[in-house]
Amino acid sequence: MTVKVSVVIAVYNPGKYIEDCVNGLLRQSLTPDEFEVFFVNDGSTDDTPARLDRLAAEHPHFHVIHQESSGWSGRPRNTGTDAARGEYVMFADHDDWLGDEALERMYDYGTAHDADVVIGKMAGIGRPVPQELFRVNRPRATVENAPLIDSLTPHKMFRREFLAEHGMRFKEGRRRLEDHVFVAEAYLRAKSVAVLSDYVCYYHITRDDGSNAGFQRFDPAGYFGNLREALDVVENLTEPGPLRDKLYSRWLRNEMVERLRGDRLLKLPEDYAEELYREIRAVITERFGPGVLARVAPTQRVVAALVAADRYADVRALAEWEAGIRPTGRLTSLTWENGSLNIGFSAEYEVVGAPMTYGRDGERDLLGLPLSEAAREALAEQGVDLTAPVDRSDVDLVVRHREEATQYYLPLRSERHRIDAGDEGSFRQRITARAVLDPETAAAGGPLAKGIWDLHLRIKSCGWSKETRLGAVRDDVETGRLPALTGVPRRLVLPYWTDGPGNLSLDVDQHTGKLEREAVALLDPVAGEIDGDTVRLPLPLHLAAPDGDPVRLRFERKNVGKHPADAVTDGRTVSAVLPLARLTGMRWAVRVGIPSAARGEPRWTRLPVDVVVDAGGRARVIDRHTPSNKPGSASASQKKRPARPLWRRVAGRVKRAVTGGRPTR
């Protein structure tokens, strides 16, 4: 059978971190004869080579190539590509891993759209990954119609014949940004690039020991020398004009300006920060004209212009002010409607605890940046003004899986509001929005997977894009925070406040045991009632479609038994006929069985009520914490005698040993 995909992995001393990578490959949905893996050991000195040799002996489609250390990833990737037989070559890092269906989905999507390059959705665990690129599937993306240039890591599929046709290889030796050079050339030469965004294909991780190669401090002169090589690729494959300026702006924005903003600059040693600044300034003045600066956001343009004017002190002063910027959000409403959770919120930037303000000059809105007069004159000389496009400010609400970092944008509608700040036309901007979270379609049209999903608010305005959690600051939304049964088969979605900060998260399909705690908070025990042999209990659930009997009820007593009862729900209560003959004369805990799609059977949760049936068969509902003999109290004979302190018990034993157990006066 023809090999569909060859996976190439450069390996150097990964230690335990290679295990996730290996396990992800072993779980692939492609059959072993449909893909192959090349681990290229680049002179590892740990026990990885022996581990890989054992792995290859067990799995014929896994191969290991040993070579002397080259110092970086370029040569081992080239070695693996030379050995590959697959129609596509997929590059992965030794400490990352693939989604279980990644190779199959990416291959099918690439062949369906005749793509030279296939990009699968990425999830960043402890590190950033592109966001806008993966909002939607893009079957025929180009650098002109999609933000491809935001994704320059090599973790993609490339048609092998395409690489051979253009002689494309990674630059070798100890260096930086060899992936930028390679991927930028691939984008500009490809006839078609396909972006698969509805399935997480690649998990890009930060090691807990902080030893990822890309996170190590670099030599600024060498780094920006390598960056110039990526710019050379763009220059060689494009004509002067808007497209080239657009592509150049990616490096200006991400690799230069953002390194000189806020805490990212301030946390660097002063001498290193100044060296970094000098190298960045050299590239800006050599390679970037006004057209490139015009392509970045207003606040980024200000920093770039200050660098070009060689005003390092002003760059640093601006960074100190920007370090105080915080995004804030307020949860204003929370309601279930037809199986969807409607989430209302407001968002605003603050600076050192006070709302961010903007100025006004005639018809223009202005950035309220704390710039010196000399800095403002330097900006004016370069044609850079402080116009603030606040009418384009917006927000996103993202639901993100806590463990896997999979995330999805929620559909929302937003409005921008100007609030008078009191100083001659100055104003604040607040954005209000309403998002809709349908647990059955939120995952790119499919259901959210079992687990904890956190809600993250992102505010985008004037070149600031910052994220915060939602829910810690909130109006009175408690009545709308019901768990809900949704989907077929049924599963529970539980909105809850996180411990400590009190942010809003969702427990999907009873990943934790939080339902019992929430039931105590949401259910009024005294609201239960009994009519004859029928018990009716309040149910703290929203049912998306309360047809049938999605929940079950049972009565249980330790060392006695468990007795199920046929239950009927109407969305807010659960009713059941009591098996009185089995319950008479005892007190029984009440558990409700909530469907779990993952378990295939109900998960039982105790309700904060008990049912007591006396000897005559008469039943009543009581709070589970009420003593049995009399609601609210207990007789002296039934009260549990408190345990004596340890020292008293020890003293008693000593006394009895001395006296032989005889009474003493």
Side-chain angles (χ1 to χ4, degrees):
M1 179 178 289
T2 301
V3 176
K4 294 179 177 179
V5 182
S6 299
V7 183
V8 174
I9 304 168
V11 178
Y12 180 75
N13 287 354
K16 66 179 181 179
Y17 297 99
I18 200 170
E19 296 304 323
D20 285 332
C21 177
V22 169
N23 292 332
L25 292 165
L26 292 174
R27 292 194 303 267
Q28 287 304 298
S29 57
L30 282 183
T31 60
D33 57 353
E34 290 179 306
F35 77 104
E36 61 184 2
V37 180
F38 288 94
F39 292 99
V40 184
N41 170 39
D42 196 49
S44 294
T45 58
D46 62 4
D47 60 358
T48 301
R51 167 75 176 100
L52 294 178
D53 286 339
R54 292 193 301 270
L55 188 69
E58 296 170 4
H59 302 281
H61 61 305
F62 282 25
H63 311 280
V64 183
I65 300 174
H66 299 285
Q67 64 182 32
E68 292 183 2
S69 178
S70 65
W72 210 249
S73 300
R75 183 180 296 172
R77 287 179 184 145
N78 291 337
T79 300
T81 303
D82 291 340
R85 298 175 298 137
E87 184 178 345
Y88 282 92
V89 178
M90 172 82 193
F91 297 105
D93 286 348
H94 60 199
D95 43 16
D96 296 334
W97 68 87
L98 298 173
D100 295 357
E101 301 173 18
L103 297 181
E104 181 178 13
R105 287 178 180 247
M106 291 176 70
Y107 175 84
D108 289 346
Y109 197 69
T111 55
H113 300 290
D114 194 27
D116 290 327
V117 183
V118 187
I119 309 173
K121 183 173 183 176
M122 302 177 72
I125 299 179
R127 65 190 303 168
V129 296
Q131 305 290 336
E132 294 296 324
L133 178 62
F134 299 120
R135 275 187 181 265
V136 296
N137 285 341
R138 304 175 191 268
R140 294 194 174 276
T142 68
V143 291
E144 295 173 289
N145 66 20
L148 291 179
I149 202 66
D150 288 347
S151 178
L152 290 177
T153 63
H155 314 119
K156 302 164 177 62
M157 273 188 189
F158 300 86
R159 192 190 299 276
R160 189 162 59 89
E161 290 184 357
F162 164 72
L163 298 180
E165 176 186 353
H166 297 286
M168 291 181 55
R169 300 178 69 80
F170 288 93
K171 290 185 175 293
E172 299 184 1
R174 187 163 185 83
R175 50 167 296 117
R176 294 283 186 151
L177 304 181
E178 79 291 339
D179 47 357
H180 286 209
V181 176
F182 184 89
V183 175
E185 180 178 356
Y187 287 159
L188 292 170
R189 293 194 184 279
K191 296 187 297 293
S192 176
V193 178
V195 182
L196 177 66
S197 301
D198 57 10
Y199 179 80
V200 177
C201 298
Y202 196 89
Y203 292 87
H204 204 24
I205 70 127
T206 297
R207 292 189 189 181
D208 52 19
D209 64 358
S211 62
N212 299 71
F215 287 175
Q216 306 310 305
R217 183 169 293 171
F218 55 79
D219 167 54
Y223 185 91
F224 289 102
N226 295 153
L227 186 146
R228 287 177 173 88
E229 295 174 334
L231 300 179
D232 290 342
V233 169
V234 174
E235 184 174 343
N236 292 335
L237 296 177
T238 63
E239 297 295 328
L243 176 59
R244 181 184 292 180
D245 291 343
K246 174 185 175 181
L247 299 180
Y248 275 177
S249 71
R250 185 268 178 216
W251 284 278
L252 173 62
R253 180 180 68 245
N254 289 21
E255 308 301 328
M256 302 182 203
V257 167
E258 289 302 318
R259 295 182 186 277
L260 300 176
R261 300 183 74 180
D263 285 335
R264 196 168 176 186
L265 173 66
L266 300 178
K267 290 181 178 180
L268 297 175
E270 180 64 27
D271 57 345
Y272 182 81
E274 290 192 30
E275 182 183 2
L276 187 71
Y277 166 82
R278 288 195 299 271
E279 294 297 334
I280 288 174
R281 183 171 184 274
V283 178
I284 289 177
T285 55
E286 288 172 16
R287 305 296 291 263
F288 299 152
V292 180
L293 268 64
R295 287 280 182 172
V296 298
T299 51
Q300 295 166 340
R301 192 179 310 134
V302 167
V303 175
L306 290 175
V307 173
D310 200 12
R311 301 197 62 84
Y312 177 69
D314 289 309
V315 170
R316 195 167 186 88
L318 182 57
E320 291 171 351
W321 179 80
E322 285 193 306
I325 297 175
R326 298 288 184 271
T328 65
R330 185 180 191 89
L331 183 64
T332 56
S333 64
L334 193 67
T335 58
W336 284 101
E337 184 177 348
N338 298 325
S340 293
L341 187 62
N342 296 305
I343 306 166
F345 61 94
S346 62
E348 186 172 0
Y349 272 124
E350 290 184 352
V351 186
V352 196
M356 179 180 287
T357 60
Y358 302 87
R360 187 77 174 168
D361 180 15
E363 297 299 315
R364 289 194 309 144
D365 298 322
L366 301 176
L367 295 168
L369 304 181
L371 297 173
S372 66
E373 191 60 37
R376 292 174 185 272
E377 291 175 0
L379 293 177
E381 290 175 2
Q382 297 180 72
V384 175
D385 62 26
L386 297 179
T387 299
V390 293
D391 288 339
R392 296 202 297 269
S393 301
D394 208 350
V395 293
D396 285 319
L397 191 61
V398 175
V399 59
R400 182 179 300 153
H401 195 283
R402 185 175 296 175
E403 296 176 359
E404 298 181 356
T406 307
Q407 70 172 33
Y408 301 99
Y409 290 90
L410 300 182
L412 59 77
R413 291 186 176 181
S414 62
E415 294 183 5
R416 292 174 288 272
H417 307 272
R418 293 170 180 257
I419 302 171
D420 184 12
D423 296 330
E424 294 188 11
S426 67
F427 65 95
R428 301 159 46 191
Q429 183 180 61
R430 179 178 298 158
I431 302 175
T432 58
R434 185 178 179 86
V436 178
L437 191 160
D438 181 348
E440 303 310 308
T441 62
L448 293 177
K450 178 183 176 75
I452 300 298
W453 292 83
D454 298 320
L455 286 134
H456 294 259
L457 165 65
R458 184 178 299 123
I459 308 176
K460 303 172 294 184
S461 179
C462 302
W464 294 298
S465 181
K466 297 180 181 292
E467 190 175 278
T468 186
R469 292 294 308 277
L470 182 65
V473 179
R474 56 183 180 265
D475 293 341
D476 184 8
V477 298
E478 197 67 21
T479 57
R481 195 181 57 84
L482 290 173
L485 283 171
T486 66
V488 178
R490 298 283 192 193
R491 59 198 193 126
L492 189 82
V493 178
L494 171 66
Y496 72 94
W497 310 126
T498 60
D499 295 335
N503 294 312
L504 178 62
S505 294
L506 303 177
D507 181 340
V508 175
D509 204 11
Q510 302 179 80
H511 184 68
T512 68
K514 294 184 182 295
L515 178 60
E516 185 164 327
R517 183 187 71 179
E518 296 301 318
V520 172
L522 296 169
L523 189 150
D524 180 4
V526 302
E529 59 184 33
I530 291 180
D531 182 9
D533 62 353
T534 301
V535 62
R536 183 180 178 87
L537 302 172
L539 188 67
L541 292 173
H542 166 83
L543 297 185
D547 53 324
D549 301 324
V551 300
R552 298 165 65 184
L553 210 62
R554 78 181 183 203
F555 305 90
E556 59 184 56
R557 183 178 177 88
K558 187 176 181 180
N559 299 325
V560 177
K562 302 174 182 178
H563 300 295
D566 293 333
V568 177
T569 62
D570 61 8
R572 291 303 176 93
T573 62
V574 57
S575 302
V577 176
L578 295 168
L580 291 176
R582 299 178 181 177
L583 307 182
T584 297
M586 296 184 186
R587 173 173 174 167
W588 299 85
V590 183
R591 291 190 182 272
V592 60
I594 306 296
S596 170
R599 292 163 60 99
E601 60 184 17
R603 179 167 178 168
W604 294 90
T605 297
R606 186 172 181 181
L607 296 179
V609 296
D610 286 350
V611 168
V612 179
V613 183
D614 64 20
R618 292 180 295 274
R620 71 179 189 275
V621 178
I622 64 173
D623 188 312
R624 64 183 277 189
H625 300 293
T626 301
S628 298
N629 66 313
K630 183 179 180 181
S633 66
S635 66
S637 63
Q638 290 176 317
K639 288 182 179 179
K640 186 175 181 180
R641 185 175 180 179
R644 291 185 303 162
L646 177 62
W647 70 270
R648 281 188 176 276
R649 298 200 300 272
V650 173
R653 293 191 188 103
V654 172
K655 180 178 180 181
R656 287 192 296 274
V658 171
T659 64
R662 298 187 303 274
T664 60
R665 291 176 179 248

